[in-house]
Amino acid sequence: AGAGVSPPGVHPRPTLAAIRATAETVLPGHGPVPRASAEESERILSWLERPETRLVEMSSGWSSPVRGAARFRGLLAKAEAAAAHQLSTERS
């Protein structure tokens, strides 16, 4: 696993080669989130969903289940907004 930024106007292959040479090998583990907490997995997903992020190369497939927890993202955002509003109302 590795990440980097390629300078604008420069071919990205040298940057990709350097990232691969210094990347961390993440071995599989047990459970639905091997070697990563749910919070780490969410951070990676939010980074991958940014328009400026490009997933260039992988050794195995990337997937996000259709019926996975991401389907509750909108509901969670609404709950967080309501809780923040309630907290600000109570402090006033």
Side-chain angles (χ1 to χ4, degrees), residues 45-64:
L45 179 60
S46 68
W47 176 69
L48 285 170
E49 290 177 335
R50 291 181 183 173
E52 68 273 13
T53 300
R54 301 291 179 264
L55 183 57
V56 178
E57 189 172 323
M58 330 181 32
S59 58
S60 61
W62 171 263
S63 65
S64 184

Side-chain angles (χ1 to χ4, degrees), residues 5 8-9 12 15 19-20 22 27 31 63 67-68 75 82 90 92:
V5 177
T15 302
I19 293 168
R20 281 193 74 160
T22 59
L27 300 173
S63 65
R67 300 296 298 163
L75 181 60
E90 291 174 358
S92 320

Side-chain angles (χ1 to χ4, degrees), residues 16-90:
L16 295 171
I19 293 168
R20 281 193 74 160
T22 59
E24 176 185 356
T25 299
V26 181
L27 300 173
H30 303 292
V33 287
R35 305 291 187 216
S37 68
E39 292 81 11
E40 290 170 322
S41 298
E42 180 61 30
R43 285 187 176 261
I44 291 169
L45 179 60
S46 68
W47 176 69
L48 285 170
E49 290 177 335
R50 291 181 183 173
E52 68 273 13
T53 300
R54 301 291 179 264
L55 183 57
V56 178
E57 189 172 323
M58 330 181 32
S59 58
S60 61
W62 171 263
S63 65
S64 184
V66 171
R67 300 296 298 163
R71 70 182 186 262
F72 298 114
R73 180 176 277 153
L75 181 60
L76 177 60
K78 287 179 184 178
E80 288 174 340
H85 177 71
Q86 179 68 28
L87 184 60
S88 67
T89 303
E90 291 174 358

